[in-house]
Amino acid sequence: MATISSVESGPRHFDPGDGAVEAVVVRFAGDSGDGMQLTGGQFTLSTALAGNDLATFPDFPAEIRAPQGTLFGVSAFQINFGSSEITTAGDAPDVLVAMNPAALKTNIHALKPGGLVIVDSGEFGKRNLEKAKYAQDPLEDGSLARWQVLAFDISALTLEAVKPFGLGNKEALRCKNMWTLGLALWMFDRARQPLVDWLKAKFAGNPVLAEANIAALNAGHAYGETAELTGPLRRLHIDPVPSEPGLYRTVTGAEAISLGLVTGCRLAGLPMFFGGYPITPASAILHHLVRMKEFGVTTFQAEDEIAAICAAIGASYAGQLGVTSSSGPGIALKGEAMGLAVMTELPLVIVNSQRGGPSTGLPTKTEQSDLYQAVYGRNGDAALPVIAARSPTDAFACAIEACRIAVQYMTPVILLTDGYIANASEPWKVPDPAAFAPFPVSFLEKPNGADGVLPYKRDARGVQPWIRPGTPGLMHRIGGIEKALDTGNIDYAPDVHQTQTDARKARIDGIAAAIPAQDLCLGEPTGKLLVVGWGSTYGPIHQAVRRARKRGLAVSHAHVRHIWPLPANLGDVLAGFDHVLVPEMNTGQFKTVLRDRFLVDAVSLTKTSGQPFAIAELDEAIARFFDDVPGNEGGEVEVNETQLPGPEIEQP
């Protein structure tokens, strides 16, 4: 039997029956073995098929398998979907699905007052309550009175649904995420057939398991249809978001980068060599690219990070486009080889999916703390271009841009994403391939000097030719030691090193003339406050600035894609405002870059809790510039335990 409780007074409840909801935030939470990422991913697929705009936030522990039922082992998946533009995964959930006491404890504070929590009461036994550090059963002690609670024994209902298939108890209980997904599909008027088709394909080699999961899915859906319940369990239909005609799909940041890299190589007319080494959250790029062999992609899982990038450099020397990827610790290991690519002036794309640091840090949490490393983090004056993607779909275009700059300027390029972008997903209108201008590569085929080949003879942009090894008459030296002008012969002369250092720097600085001018995402070109972001802060910044402008505040939003070199007009953009606020998930790194380049008195808003900015945090930060209280702007966002649950959370 289901148990329902609700708030008798206070905030307005989440009420799916009133027809006034344009967007909903749902969070699925459970033990790492409960399949919450799978559940969230499939609910995302059904939401995309329904035509809603959406943004997701998978959040899971670093432990491969924490002890079952413990606070450390909770995995969650949040999705914000609606009938209007969605740019973030949402601040606070309207609905929380908690599969055990630990999931409830670590996530209940995030739920909006009056929100709906659905729990599996079958998991609330004494042992699981103790693991979650509950002194009393929260379903019975009144501690959840701020929310609407729907508690029923999902475990028992799942066992009953799959009983005809003869599964063992442990295997049968693994189907309860499908039961929960079936209920969610009913609640939000989602079609089941695509999920049925997916289950049949996934378990094609084990039809019994496929049918058991389908039975659990159908049983959860039927429970929503037939249970005689009042109060919170109602059906909600959210209209599709207005969108241009075209082919749409959901895409994660890792998928978008992989597709963008392949597209960039095709536009350059080159095969791709990808050298990688597994590391969270960058491994997914290798996983996607290994399935793209038909597009001229060679993937190589090396024995370590250094071997991965060195193999990619070798491929670039041989006439392919070398690509490598990692996260912060692996990028640090690649640093010396990046300097080699700078010195040899070979094209290379390096993807850094940032995570919390330093060292191993927070392997599964997000951060933007590798910006200094990207811009400055090599020995010697080894400048190279740095690009930052702002969303999963934007990562596609950024990957193409990284390929273009790499081959046109014969330089390694760093593409920055982070754990949030890599794992999150959103709808993507698949672009028309004809919309992209090719940038075909030409190799030097004959000597370019009066007395033979000059491998480092620069053109007007400061770019040397690309020579494939084995080309007749074009033998030359290559390596990491300083080299003479034009010939590339080893030369330690002081004036040579000065000239070559200046030339390498000028080549990278010159890229600023070939990148788009910085524009505003929202607002007028002058005003009291400009909020400048980069990377995955785009969504919450954009929503917060939009809210502030609706309140009549003179605030605008600019988001920078090209981190180095910076757009040539960015200084003029900054000069149009009285104040500049730079929110970033580090201790103020991009703010320092802006101050250094443009002498602007930018103010930081920093956050390093391992979670993305909430819109409300930016609302508050923007408001401080308009409250007539001098000196209270910027600062560090306080840790929000509802976003980053820890093992010592107090009982609600």
Side-chain angles (χ1 to χ4, degrees), residues 14-378:
F14 166 68
D15 185 358
D18 62 12
V21 179
E22 292 185 358
V24 175
V25 180
V26 178
R27 182 182 295 185
F28 299 94
D31 195 78
S32 292
D34 286 336
M36 291 297 96
Q37 302 305 320
L38 182 66
T39 302
Q42 292 307 306
F43 186 77
T44 298
L45 174 62
S46 68
T47 299
L49 291 172
N52 298 130
D53 198 9
L54 63 94
T56 69
F57 178 39
D59 192 14
F60 42 87
E63 289 80 5
I64 294 175
R65 189 66 175 89
Q68 189 172 4
T70 62
L71 298 168
F72 294 101
V74 174
S75 176
F77 187 102
Q78 183 162 307
I79 176 172
N80 182 12
F81 59 98
S83 58
S84 57
E85 183 186 16
I86 302 293
T87 60
T88 79
D91 284 9
D94 298 291
V95 179
L96 169 65
V97 179
M99 302 299 288
N100 63 10
L104 178 69
K105 190 169 190 180
T106 56
N107 288 278
I108 189 62
H109 286 290
L111 189 63
K112 290 179 180 178
L116 171 63
V117 55
I118 299 173
V119 298
D120 179 5
S121 60
E123 291 290 323
F124 279 68
K126 181 180 179 182
R127 186 178 180 187
N128 279 347
L129 289 170
E130 289 175 350
K131 287 182 180 179
K133 296 183 170 34
Y134 272 119
Q136 297 178 337
D137 188 344
L139 302 181
E140 299 176 354
D141 65 5
S143 60
L144 303 179
R146 280 176 279 169
W147 303 281
Q148 302 176 84
V149 179
L150 179 58
F152 46 89
D153 196 338
I154 295 175
S155 298
L157 291 167
T158 302
L159 290 174
E160 183 64 25
V162 303
K163 188 175 180 180
F165 301 95
L167 301 179
N169 195 66
K170 184 176 181 180
E171 197 169 29
L173 284 175
R174 288 176 180 165
C175 299
K176 71 178 183 179
N177 65 328
M178 287 297 108
W179 196 101
T180 306
L181 179 58
L183 179 64
L185 294 180
W186 175 83
M187 283 185 66
F188 297 103
D189 196 17
R190 301 280 181 258
R192 280 172 288 161
Q193 191 58 46
L195 280 301
V196 171
D197 295 340
W198 174 81
L199 285 167
K200 288 181 178 179
K202 180 177 177 61
F203 297 109
N206 192 338
V208 173
L209 200 55
E211 292 303 321
N213 277 279
I214 292 169
L217 180 80
N218 290 334
H221 193 276
Y223 188 87
E225 285 183 317
T226 60
E228 295 182 1
L229 300 173
T230 60
L233 191 61
R234 302 181 187 177
R235 200 171 200 189
L236 170 65
H237 175 80
I238 297 181
D239 291 331
V241 64
S243 57
E244 298 177 358
L247 176 64
Y248 287 82
R249 58 162 290 184
T250 59
V251 67
T252 67
E255 288 175 313
I257 286 173
S258 303
L259 292 167
L261 290 170
V262 171
T263 303
C265 288
R266 302 286 280 193
L267 292 171
L270 295 172
M272 183 207 301
F273 177 92
F274 180 89
Y277 181 78
I279 185 171
T280 303
S283 300
I285 297 174
L286 172 60
H287 300 162
H288 291 301
L289 286 175
V290 79
R291 297 192 289 266
M292 298 184 181
K293 295 177 182 179
E294 68 270 29
F295 299 110
V297 177
T298 300
T299 52
F300 169 58
Q301 181 174 313
E303 66 268 29
D304 56 41
E305 297 281 9
I306 300 171
I309 187 173
C310 287
I313 293 172
S316 290
Y317 173 60
Q320 300 191 17
L321 180 55
V323 181
T324 189
S325 79
S326 191
S327 190
I331 297 296
L333 291 169
K334 296 178 190 290
E336 182 180 359
M338 290 164 63
L340 174 62
V342 169
M343 181 61 89
T344 55
E345 302 186 36
L346 287 169
L348 182 71
V349 176
I350 305 145
V351 183
N352 181 356
S353 302
Q354 300 168 93
R355 70 190 203 187
S359 187
T360 306
L362 306 175
T364 62
K365 306 301 179 182
T366 196
E367 206 161 89
Q368 294 179 300
S369 53
D370 295 348
L371 185 139
Y372 283 163
Q373 181 188 47
V375 176
Y376 307 118
R378 291 157 297 282

Side-chain angles (χ1 to χ4, degrees), residues 61 134 243 257 321 344 405 442 448 481 577 628:
Y134 272 119
S243 57
I257 286 173
L321 180 55
T344 55
I405 292 176
S442 61
N448 59 343
I481 298 178
F577 295 85
D628 298 324

